[in-house]
Amino acid sequence: MKNTFKTALMAGGLLASLQVLSQATITLNIRDGANEGFNDTTAATPIGGNTGTTLGEQRLAVFERAAEIWGGFLNSDVEVVISAGFDPQTCEPTGATLGSAGPNTVHSDFTNAPVTDTWHVSALASSLTGTDINGGDVDINTTFNSAIDDGCFNSGWYYGLDGATPAGFTPLLPVVLHELGHGLGFLTLANGTTGALFQNTPDSWTRFMRDEETGENWSDMTNAERAASAINDPNLVWTGPNVTAEFPNVLGSPAVFTINSPAGIAGDYDIQTASFGPAIPDAGLTADVVLADDGTGVDVNDACEAINTDLTGAIAIVNRGSCNFTAKVINAQNAGAVGVLVANNVPDGLPPMGGADPLVTIPSVGISQADGALITGSATTVNATLGYDVSSFAGTQGGFVRLFAPDPFQGGSSVSHWSTAANPNLLMEPSITSTIFDEIDLTLQLFQDIGWNTNSNDDLIFANGFE
């Protein structure tokens, strides 16, 4: 018996249909009122291949490009209807919500379902059954943050289609691609905090989510076991065969921090790479580690002010807290540092190293509080290398790609994203980084794992002019 469950509903307005390579039709249902969001008539200068002459036209052009990309990769005869709008969301100098999205309805036990008793988002279910399974209703609800253009987080949205994002701006295209990815099926419906399955039924994700420590798939766990697995980084992985076969062609070696001397603390240590600034050089970066001192505030080692220490040619170590990660790195950079270690200010985990600032020109990583204490407590100079472990792939565990499972649980980010340890960064990580613009990467193979029929990757790269 076919089951349907409605997860949300947003009212619609103007419709704009997009046909892509005769493969998938994506219809945009605009919720915005007059002179707002996609209908904003504020004059705008064409930029980066976007020929729109109003703010609304430029936003629509970016959405159309994202729909063109997704529509080209997905092989479906059934229209995908997306409700979209721009509304103010959380936006502060230290961070902002860029957008949000999710499926409007989910379905199980429909004709041609790849597995029984399993939820599938409506766009996928309709594609597999060959008919509009939710009767013309919206498939995906999306919202993008209009407050970004007010300068509350940075200089505003970049509406260009060329990937040449100016310093201080946030490109809209990868954000739209990311959010549409969620609505098309890149998410689990399980509650990551309680571990409860949606309507006590597994979804297409839970059957490919496995905890490498316990060896169990989420679809076979108890609620308590799922809740524990959701914070069991690095052991929560994706076992889908298509992703597993493809990731060696996508992922590179993981970054590693190695202490060379003194001998008593020599060895490799866990790190979190930053979402900003350049990557660690391929050849590695070796230097003495020097504690930064700004001489100001409660913590003189937090690098939140101009640094007094001469860091010329050194890898600086600074403490987390009191200011943005980017500010710490820029201050160390200005004092001559060639790299930065940010030691955590809490006992568990690694600093997330999020943020964006084009002024950062040196690599930086986060280390644990305990490892930071080892370095600063050393009686002799610490020499270290930031480099790569060429024997493995970044963001993997046990031969599978890791999912984002930090402790504590991060609502809206945990579980339904790739791990931030991936190198290079992937579209469906919890934060958009400067290295991502219009590539789908492993999201295409994950969609194949959950049941989507897709077009040839190589053919579409040629046809659509992707790089």
Side-chain angles (χ1 to χ4, degrees), residues 376-437:
T376 57
S378 175
T380 58
T381 299
V382 174
N383 182 269
T385 299
L386 287 171
Y388 295 95
D389 176 6
V390 297
S391 66
S392 60
F393 292 96
T396 64
Q397 180 81 351
F400 300 104
V401 180
R402 287 162 51 188
L403 296 172
F404 188 61
D407 184 7
F409 186 88
Q410 295 183 18
S413 295
S414 288
V415 180
S416 292
H417 289 93
W418 295 124
S419 167
T420 55
N423 174 41
N425 294 118
L426 302 173
L427 173 67
M428 299 305 294
E429 291 183 28
S431 299
I432 296 295
T433 67
S434 59
T435 60
I436 296 169
F437 191 70

Side-chain angles (χ1 to χ4, degrees), residues 207-209 237-245 400 445-446 449-450:
R207 298 187 181 278
F208 293 108
M209 296 170 67
V237 300
W238 181 265
T239 63
N242 291 288
V243 168
T244 303
F400 300 104
Q445 284 73 35
L446 183 141
D449 285 336
I450 64 175

Side-chain angles (χ1 to χ4, degrees), residues 352-376:
M353 299 302 290
D357 195 320
L359 297 179
V360 176
T361 60
I362 60 175
S364 58
V365 301
I367 63 174
S368 71
Q369 186 179 58
D371 294 346
L374 276 179
I375 296 170
T376 57

